[in-house]
Amino acid sequence: MTTLPSGLHSQTRTLMGWGRTNPVTAQVVQPISVEQLQELVRGAPPRSLIARGLGRSYGDAAQLNNGTVIELPAFDRIELDAASGTVTAGAGVSLDQILRAIVPAGFFLPVTPGTRNVTVGGAIAADVHGKNHHVDGSFGHHVQRLVLVDGKGSLRVLTPSSQGNGDQAALFWATVGGMGLTGVIVEATFSLIPITTSLISVDTTRYRDLELLMAAMVEADAKYRYSVAWVDSLDPKGRGVLTCGDHARLEQLSPAQQADPLHYDPKALASTPPFLPGGLLNKLTVRAFNEAWYRKAPKQREGELQAIAPFFHPLDGVQDWNRIYGPAGFLQYQFAVPNEAAYLVPRTLEALRQVGAPSFLTVLKRFGPSNPAPMSFPIPGWTLAADVPAAVPGLLGVLDQLDQDIQAAGGRLYFAKDARMHSRVVPQMYPRCQSWYSTWLGARGSQIFWSAQACRVLAHCQST
Ligand SMILES: Cc1cc2nc3c(=O)[nH]c(=O)nc-3n(C[C@H](O)[C@H](O)[C@H](O)COP(=O)(O)OP(=O)(O)OC[C@H]3O[C@@H](n4cnc5c(N)ncnc54)[C@H](O)[C@@H]3O)c2cc1C
C-alpha cells in the first residue's frame, strides 16, 4: 500500500467500469494540489497507482486491485480564451461542465464521445472519438498542451510537436491514448469549434439492409461533419438508421430560436429519455425495442433542428441505464477495421446473433486518418460497437475468434471499452506498441502507474 502524504486521506471502495464487470477493491484518494499529487507519486511503490475520471470506460482501465486510485475533482479550473478559440481545463473537469461554459460563449467541443460525463483526463487518456472522426479526428488532435505528473513525480508540460525536444513530444503522444499509464494528467489546453447556434441540423434516413446503409455512410463522409448509424443487430439483413448533422446556421433557426441562438440546458432537453427496453433484457425485449426504434425513425427527414444533448448524448438522459443488464453486467465489443475489411461488420453481427447475444445498442461509425499516438484506437475505415450481456454462454469464445479475424485484417479493439482482450493480440493490433512501451519506460511510468487492464493486456508488448 502507498504511504499517503500528510493531509491526504483515502477511502476503501469497490470499483468497476461502466459495464459493471471485473470489480476490484482499491484505496481512492483525491489530492487537492499538484504538490500533494507529486508527493504521493514520489512515495508510491512500483505499479501501485492509477488515475480515474468518471469511470465511463467499460472495463478495468481505471482501477487496480489493492492499488491506489487517484481522482481529481479538485482539478476543476475552466478558462476559456475566446480570442484563440481554446479552453484550458483541469483534468478532473467533465465535458458536461465545459459545455456549460463554452456553448453560451459560441464554442463547441472539438470531439465529444456519446456521453458528456467523462473528464478531460479520461478523454485524453483514451483519445476519445465522436461522430466527426472522419472530419476532425480524435480528441488528441486538438490538444495543444498538457501538464502531466510523471512516474518520478516531475511536472511535465508537453506539446504535440517536438520544439527541439523529441522526448517531450513522444511523451505527449504516449499519454494520448496511453490509458493513464504514463502519469497523471492535471491540466490541458485544447482548441474548440466556433458555433453561431447551439442547434444541430439533422438528416435522418432508414435503410432496409446493411449494404445500403454502409454505402450511404461512405457518401456521407464528404457531406456531413457528424454521422452515426444505429444497426438492428437482430435483423439478419442488418437494417438501420443513419443520422447525419452539422451545426445549424443562424438563418436556419425560427425567430423564437434566433432570440437565444446559443441556449444550452442539457438537463431540460434530455428529460425525454430515449426509448429503452424496460425490465429484463433478453432476445425478446431487444427484438421489440429494435423494431420500435427502427419504425420510430422517419424513412427520410431533412433539416430537423436538434439540441446538443439529444443529438450527441441521448443516453445521458437516462440515469443508471447500465444496470439493465443485471448483476453480471455487460461488455461493449468495439473494433475498428480498414475499409477493405468492411465485411467484418456483418460477420460480427452474424456471430453475435448466432451465439444469442442480443444488443440494442449497436452503433456504426466512420473513421478518418489516425494521429501520431501509438496506442490511439482510430484507424481509417469502420468502427462497430455492440453492447452485449456479459453472461451469455459461449460469448467469450466467439469474441476471441472475432479478435483473431479483426487482428488478421489489420483491425483493433478499443482499450476504453475492453474488459476481456488477451495480451497476445495487442502487438499486432497496435503495431507501434513497442515504441509506446519505450517512452513509457523512459517516463518511469512502468515503475509507478499500472491498472487492472494493463495487467491483462501489456504482457506481449513488453516482449515484442
Ligand atoms: C454511454 C457511453 C458512451 C461512450 N461513447 C464513446 C464514444 O462515442 N467514443 C469514445 O471514444 N468513447 C466513448 N465512451 C468511452 C469514454 O469516452 C471513455 O472511456 C473515457 O475515457 C471515459 O472517461 P472517464 O473520465 O470516465 O475516465 P475513466 O473511465 O475513469 O478512465 C479511463 C482511462 O483514462 C485514464 N485517466 C482518467 N483520468 C486521467 C488523468 N487525469 N490522467 C491520466 N489518465 C487518466 C484512466 O486511468 C483510464 O485508463 C463512452 C462511454 C459511455 C459510458
Side-chain angles (χ1 to χ4, degrees):
M1 278 282 172
T2 306
T3 316
L4 302 181
S6 66
L8 182 61
H9 304 289
S10 71
Q11 204 189 26
T12 301
R13 275 179 23 204
T14 301
L15 297 176
M16 48 195 155
W18 190 245
R20 301 181 57 76
T21 58
N22 312 9
V24 303
T25 303
Q27 69 166 352
V28 179
V29 294
Q30 299 188 338
I32 54 162
S33 65
V34 171
E35 294 72 23
Q36 200 177 49
L37 175 60
Q38 288 178 285
E39 204 183 325
L40 171 73
V41 173
R42 287 185 189 128
R47 300 190 172 186
S48 65
L49 301 181
I50 191 70
R52 183 177 178 91
L54 289 171
R56 265 19 182 224
S57 48
Y58 279 65
D60 49 4
Q63 62 198 49
L64 179 60
N65 202 18
N66 297 321
T68 300
V69 173
I70 305 164
E71 294 179 336
L72 301 170
F75 293 70
D76 59 356
R77 167 181 177 216
I78 303 179
E79 200 178 303
L80 172 66
D81 181 345
S84 65
T86 59
V87 67
T88 297
V93 170
S94 69
L95 298 189
D96 179 51
Q97 291 168 296
I98 294 181
L99 283 167
R100 288 169 200 270
I102 64 172
V103 174
F107 292 99
F108 190 63
L109 293 165
V111 168
T112 175
T115 172
R116 58 185 180 274
N117 297 320
V118 307
T119 61
V120 168
I124 296 171
D127 193 20
V128 298
H129 58 271
K131 298 173 179 178
N132 56 341
H133 191 276
H134 58 287
V135 175
D136 294 309
S138 52
F139 203 90
H141 277 94
H142 307 277
V143 178
Q144 299 181 351
R145 167 189 162 273
L146 64 82
V147 184
L148 181 84
V149 172
D150 71 10
K152 294 177 201 161
S154 306
L155 196 63
R156 312 280 302 265
V157 179
L158 306 172
T159 56
S161 52
S162 69
Q163 298 176 337
N165 179 352
D167 284 356
Q168 69 92 22
L171 184 54
F172 176 96
W173 288 112
T175 300
V176 170
M179 300 306 285
L181 300 175
T182 58
V184 182
I185 302 160
V186 292
E187 185 177 282
T189 301
F190 54 92
S191 56
L192 301 169
I193 298 176
I195 51 172
T196 49
T197 82
S198 60
L199 296 175
I200 311 294
S201 171
V202 182
D203 294 352
T204 306
T205 315
R206 265 176 15 191
Y207 291 92
R208 62 174 187 279
D209 68 46
L210 191 62
E211 213 177 308
L212 289 173
L213 175 68
M214 290 175 78
M217 289 181 78
V218 172
E219 261 184 52
D221 277 356
K223 287 200 221 153
Y224 298 94
R225 182 168 217 154
Y226 302 105
S227 79
V228 65
W230 169 84
V231 182
D232 182 349
S233 63
L234 292 180
D235 174 29
K237 286 193 182 150
R239 64 184 177 177
V241 180
L242 175 59
T243 314
C244 299
D246 280 297
H247 294 284
R249 296 182 310 278
L250 199 58
E251 61 271 24
Q252 292 175 277
L253 272 55
S254 69
Q257 289 167 327
Q258 286 188 13
D260 186 8
L262 293 167
H263 178 81
Y264 183 65
D265 184 3
K267 239 196 193 126
L269 292 167
S271 65
T272 319
F275 176 52
L276 282 181
L280 203 65
L281 199 94
N282 58 38
K283 233 170 156 175
L284 288 179
T285 50
V286 172
R287 195 179 295 286
F289 166 80
N290 284 4
E291 177 66 23
W293 192 255
Y294 181 75
R295 297 280 161 216
K296 179 179 155 290
K299 266 192 184 148
Q300 181 151 29
R301 180 170 55 201
E302 286 185 6
E304 183 199 6
L305 293 181
Q306 286 189 14
I308 286 169
F311 182 74
F312 289 102
H313 314 122
L315 286 164
D316 287 351
V318 190
Q319 234 192 341
D320 295 337
W321 65 263
N322 58 335
R323 290 176 184 267
I324 61 172
Y325 293 88
F330 69 110
L331 304 173
Q332 185 171 99
Y333 191 67
Q334 180 168 8
F335 65 83
V337 284
N339 286 313
E340 313 79 77
Y343 60 89
L344 283 169
V345 173
R347 184 185 291 178
T348 301
L349 293 169
E350 173 63 22
L352 293 178
R353 268 196 303 278
Q354 293 280 329
V355 75
S359 168
F360 76 93
L361 257 188
T362 309
V363 172
L364 187 59
K365 285 189 264 200
R366 299 282 297 150
F367 274 165
S370 310
N371 64 28
M375 300 304 262
S376 169
F377 169 61
I379 49 170
W382 296 95
T383 182
L384 180 79
D387 284 2
V388 285
V392 169
L395 177 65
L396 294 181
V398 167
L399 297 183
D400 285 347
Q401 182 52 55
L402 287 169
D403 290 356
Q404 299 296 324
D405 298 346
I406 287 158
Q407 170 193 311
R412 53 186 47 182
L413 301 181
Y414 189 13
F415 291 116
K417 306 292 177 70
D418 158 65
R420 47 150 292 278
M421 181 187 336
H422 194 283
S423 73
R424 67 176 166 264
V425 298
V426 174
Q428 252 180 293
M429 288 188 173
Y430 287 86
R432 290 184 296 149
C433 80
Q434 189 54 48
S435 99
W436 175 86
Y437 192 75
S438 309
T439 310
W440 180 60
L441 283 176
R444 292 260 196 100
S446 60
Q447 294 189 13
I448 303 297
F449 298 103
W450 197 241
S451 65
Q453 179 180 56
C455 294
R456 257 189 317 107
V457 305
L458 283 188
H460 285 73
C461 271
Q462 299 168 41
S463 55
T464 50

